Amino acid sequence: AQSVTQLGSHVSVSEGALVLLRCNYSSSVPPYLFWYVQYPNQGLQLLLKYTSAATLVKGINGFEAEFKKSETSFHLTKPSAHMSDAAEYFCAVSEETGNQFYFGTGTSLTVIP
Amino acid sequence: ETGVTQSPTHLIKTRGQQVTLRCSSQSGHNTVSWYQQALGQGPQFIFQYYREEENGRGNFPPRFSGLQFPNYSSELNVNALELDDSALYLCASSWAGRGTQYFGPGTRLTVL
């Protein structure tokens, strides 16, 4: 079965600082990888996805992620944090032909003014 | 284009009762997946429906059941509610049982 590990359940950054949220996956086959964001009392919104095209994926709101097969990682970054980025972020993986998404436990991002 | 919608928004039940949650898929999508998100956790896959049939199931007991209708909307039914069933239930739609899943706002179920 697939699994996802998100290192750091809580991350705090200053406004304008680099955001780095870590995600590692275990998969025996090339996976599909996703980052979702969840604001309080809301569902999940897709930020970006990797589906075996370019290894550097650009998403919405200035976020991007790089797929590194050798490190089985898919870390999420944003050059400059904004107050509105404060939310819960989830990394998810599925197999290419899979129907089930496996989610990490999430990282809560706090942005300090 | 209409996104994924879920009803009701909130629900309070007592232990042992039964509950039905509803989901309408995004226009153009024929697959619905259901997830349970306990407080402070990531979503856990319950099952998926594709063309009105169950197309995969996670590690949930049989008292969690579902339906998909010809218009691709779906229901999640939970019988004999337990306190641990308290969670946010998320519905996601996609095309042909694979690929990107788009989530609804969720139904918050509280079991007392």
Side-chain angles (χ1 to χ4, degrees), chain A residues 32 34 36 38 41-46 49 90 94 96-106, chain B residues 33 35 37 40-43 45 48 55-57 88 90 97-105 108:
Chain A
Y32 284 177
F34 304 81
Y36 286 86
Q38 186 175 37
N41 300 313
Q42 294 188 24
L44 303 178
Q45 179 183 2
L46 179 68
K49 62 181 178 182
F90 291 95
S94 74
E96 184 174 350
T97 57
N99 52 15
Q100 178 175 349
F101 275 33
Y102 298 85
F103 283 86
T105 52
Chain B
S33 303
Y35 292 81
Q37 185 180 16
Q41 300 296 317
F45 176 72
Q48 182 183 85
N55 181 43
R57 188 179 183 93
L88 181 67
L90 295 165
R98 62 183 67 184
T100 305
Q101 298 190 2
Y102 295 89
F103 286 80
R108 174 73 64 186

Side-chain angles (χ1 to χ4, degrees), chain B residues 4-70:
Chain B
V4 180
T5 60
Q6 294 186 242
S7 63
T9 305
H10 296 87
L11 206 51
I12 299 175
K13 292 286 188 178
T14 57
R15 194 171 49 181
Q17 285 189 312
Q18 179 266 342
V19 68
T20 297
L21 310 182
R22 294 178 175 83
C23 171
S24 292
S25 61
Q26 181 169 312
S27 59
H29 288 176
N30 57 10
T31 303
V32 171
S33 303
W34 286 93
Y35 292 81
Q36 180 195 66
Q37 185 180 16
L39 200 61
Q41 300 296 317
Q44 298 290 316
F45 176 72
I46 302 175
F47 45 56
Q48 182 183 85
Y49 277 84
Y50 171 54
R51 291 185 174 178
E52 302 180 53
E53 292 194 358
E54 190 175 287
N55 181 43
R57 188 179 183 93
N59 189 27
F60 281 81
R63 60 190 185 83
F64 286 78
S65 63
L67 283 173
Q68 187 179 32
F69 301 99

Side-chain angles (χ1 to χ4, degrees), chain A:
Chain A
Q2 307 268 7
S3 69
V4 175
T5 302
Q6 291 185 241
L7 291 176
S9 57
H10 293 89
V11 171
S12 294
V13 300
S14 298
E15 190 174 15
L18 171 72
V19 176
L20 171 61
L21 305 182
R22 300 179 186 273
C23 172
N24 288 88
Y25 66 92
S26 68
S27 173
S28 59
V29 297
Y32 284 177
L33 292 158
F34 304 81
W35 275 99
Y36 286 86
V37 61
Q38 186 175 37
Y39 297 99
N41 300 313
Q42 294 188 24
L44 303 178
Q45 179 183 2
L46 179 68
L47 275 178
L48 50 78
K49 62 181 178 182
Y50 166 77
T51 56
S52 72
T55 56
L56 182 63
V57 181
K58 294 188 182 298
I60 63 172
N61 301 338
F63 285 93
E64 62 182 37
E66 185 173 8
F67 172 67
K68 292 187 176 180
K69 185 178 179 179
S70 61
E71 299 178 6
T72 60
S73 69
F74 191 57
H75 301 332
L76 181 71
T77 61
K78 182 175 180 177
S80 177
H82 191 272
M83 295 299 293
S84 61
D85 294 328
E88 189 84 17
Y89 291 81
F90 291 95
C91 181
V93 62
S94 74
E95 295 178 0
E96 184 174 350
T97 57
N99 52 15
Q100 178 175 349
F101 275 33
Y102 298 85
F103 283 86
T105 52
T107 297
S108 177
L109 176 66
T110 299
V111 181
I112 303 167

